[in-house]
């Protein structure tokens, strides 16, 4: 297959300081050819929402024939006012 996995996500997400948040929230990966070899990998696998700041997460998806796609997402942890 020459079709690459397709990743859908918000490029930037803001979350409340001290909240429960998964870096997998809002991420969807699809593949219309050979199928995915795994769902996807998020690096880092989690962020510390107890520390205010900006984090970058990289999402990588690989299909069964080795085609891959990679997308980055910015997670902003802050106090909502």
């Amino acid at each position: 297959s020459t079709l690459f996995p397709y990743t859908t996500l918000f490029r930037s997400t803001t979350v409340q300081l001290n909240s429960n948040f998964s870096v997998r929230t809002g991420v969807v990966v699809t593949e219309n050819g050979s199928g995915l070899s795994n769902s996807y990998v998020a690096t880092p696998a989690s962020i510390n929402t107890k520390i205010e700041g900006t984090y970058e997460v990289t999402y990588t998806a690989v299909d069964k024939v080795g085609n891959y796609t990679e997308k980055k997402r910015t997670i902003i942890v802050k106090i909502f006012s």
Side-chain angles (χ1 to χ4, degrees):
S1 168
T2 58
L3 299 174
F4 287 79
Y6 185 78
T7 307
T8 304
L9 54 85
F10 292 109
R11 292 286 186 184
S12 179
T13 303
T14 303
V15 298
Q16 172 71 34
L17 186 68
N18 294 315
S19 67
N20 291 325
F21 177 77
S22 169
V23 296
R24 293 180 168 268
T25 299
V27 178
V28 177
V29 177
T30 56
E31 206 282 337
N32 294 320
S34 64
L36 294 171
S37 62
N38 60 26
S39 176
Y40 61 88
V41 175
T43 307
S46 65
I47 60 168
N48 186 349
T49 61
K50 294 178 181 176
I51 300 175
E52 198 169 5
T54 301
Y55 301 84
E56 185 175 82
V57 179
T58 302
Y59 299 87
T60 307
V62 181
D63 69 14
K64 290 181 180 175
V65 296
N67 298 320
Y68 76 95
T69 189
E70 186 175 277
K71 286 197 177 177
K72 294 186 184 296
R73 178 185 192 188
T74 300
I75 311 290
I76 300 163
V77 177
K78 69 178 196 172
I79 297 171
F80 291 167
S81 41

